[in-house]
Amino acid sequence: MEEFINSVESNRKFYKSKLNIVLIVAASILGAGLICLLIGIIFSNFYLVLIFFIALIVAAITYGAGYSLYNKKYLNTFKKDLETKAIEANYGKDYFYDPNKGIDFDSIYESRCVNKPDEYFSKKYFSSSRDGLFFVSSNYELNFIHYTTDSDGNTKKTVNHYNGRFVKFDFPRNLNTFLSIIEKYSKDEMIKDPRIGDKIEFEFMEFNDKFTVKCNDQLKANYIITPQVQCNLVDFDKAFKSDLIVCFIDKSAYVFMHEYIEKMPLGIYKEFNKKVFDSYANEFIIPLLLIDALDLNNDKFINTNLK
């Protein structure tokens, strides 16, 4: 990973030095134009003032073309390998990734926590396993279309877009229960209250303030959401900018990171360091962090001999 980061940063500096030459040329053209403008104003010479505006346009085009060229060359040296490197830094070769494939809507809908949209799109399918748990993950976009008609009979179409990251875990033991954890500020039309089970509160007030929990078995709710898990979820939610929804149904856990903001921008003027790399690795690390946060590698999910 460190070698990859250093290589990218070295290429960035190389192409930035090329762009600096273009910048100097553009600045020189603009400088000459400013001299013409000054002389033109002093001697009321229209043509010298015109030369300034021509120089201004030429300088802008020169720099714009240079930036587009070298920024593109820089990004092309590593961008196609960035996600692969980010994945392999945490999973080795034990994964499947297809940026153009997604998860079908039925897999998301079976969580009972989302409403059916008018349009659904998904991409960046990722799957792997860890500690006896298999998981799949992808980005999602759910679009809800609305039509309104004004007093003149004109119809207006409005599309509300909802995006995020979805992870589904499958574990060996069947919990024979339904439990939902929904962040209280997740109130848009995508989110559906499953209306299953009773509302349950815990002693950790910060967790109660942040999440609404419902379960059809209060004992199992306390069994699954231990005090440590409550603390973990609060910390996880602070670490990632998203509205968090978690749903346990029998042998699966469904996690929505609604409106998840994932990556830092890339560009020739932005240093490529570990922080930038990690922002691209985060979406692939998320399943591992969730396994720890939800304690999914605990015997209560893994050991099929437990009653």
Side-chain angles (χ1 to χ4, degrees), residues 107-109 111 113-114 140 165-167 190-191 242-247 254-258:
S107 296
I108 286 180
Y109 189 64
S111 69
C113 290
V114 296
Y140 63 79
R165 189 76 183 171
F166 171 76
V167 189
M190 171 195 154
I191 310 303
S242 72
D243 292 336
L244 190 62
I245 300 166
V246 182
C247 183
Y254 306 80
V255 181
F256 295 86
M257 296 179 65
H258 193 42

Side-chain angles (χ1 to χ4, degrees), residues 159-191:
V159 183
N160 295 332
H161 306 274
Y162 302 102
N163 305 278
R165 189 76 183 171
F166 171 76
V167 189
K168 179 187 177 185
F169 297 93
D170 292 321
F171 34 80
R173 188 182 174 210
N174 191 335
L175 299 174
N176 294 308
T177 193
F178 178 91
L179 183 151
S180 62
I181 308 167
I182 300 179
E183 192 162 346
K184 290 184 176 179
Y185 301 104
S186 304
K187 296 186 181 298
D188 60 50
E189 63 188 311
M190 171 195 154
I191 310 303

Side-chain angles (χ1 to χ4, degrees), residues 116-121 141-145 159-163 189:
K116 282 189 175 181
D118 297 294
E119 297 176 336
Y120 170 73
F121 305 98
E141 178 182 331
L142 277 67
N143 297 333
F144 293 82
I145 301 173
V159 183
N160 295 332
H161 306 274
Y162 302 102
N163 305 278
E189 63 188 311

